[in-house]
Amino acid sequence: QVQLVESGGGLVQAGGSLRLSCTASERTFSSANMGWFRQAPGKEREFVAALRWSGGSIYYAYYADSVKGRFTISRDDAKSTMYLQMSSLKSEDTAVYYCAEVDYSDYRTGRNWGQGTQVTISS
């Protein structure tokens, strides 16, 4: 199965920005439905954003209400890489961020997880 590797996490001050990357090991990444999730300490993993393939090179983006307007999900199929641009970061965004494959009919549920990348927001 496709191996997913996240990168780009780190320590950022509140209000700052960070871009996460998720690189897939196979070219079959193209047209795959993909998403970002996160897990804060003591909490369950939650949906953050997803890109759902709609044919050709068209993808529709979906966001959790908590990140809408601050985070942007995108992808570069030529590089087999998905991104999560995060801005106006808040302390509550602190979590381990994971990328995963998602189903077209259920983009809020992930499978085939990467190892995660830590994002820490200091206030």
Side-chain angles (χ1 to χ4, degrees), residues 1-13:
Q1 66 183 8
V2 177
Q3 301 296 317
L4 301 173
V5 178
E6 303 94 335
S7 62
L11 175 63
V12 179
Q13 285 190 332

Side-chain angles (χ1 to χ4, degrees), residues 52-80:
R52 196 164 70 175
W53 185 57
S54 185
S57 60
I58 298 174
Y59 296 87
Y60 288 109
Y62 302 85
Y63 299 93
D65 288 344
S66 60
V67 306
K68 202 171 295 183
R70 299 188 298 121
F71 290 10
T72 302
I73 188 172
S74 63
R75 62 193 292 159
D76 184 340
D77 286 349
K79 298 181 179 179
S80 297

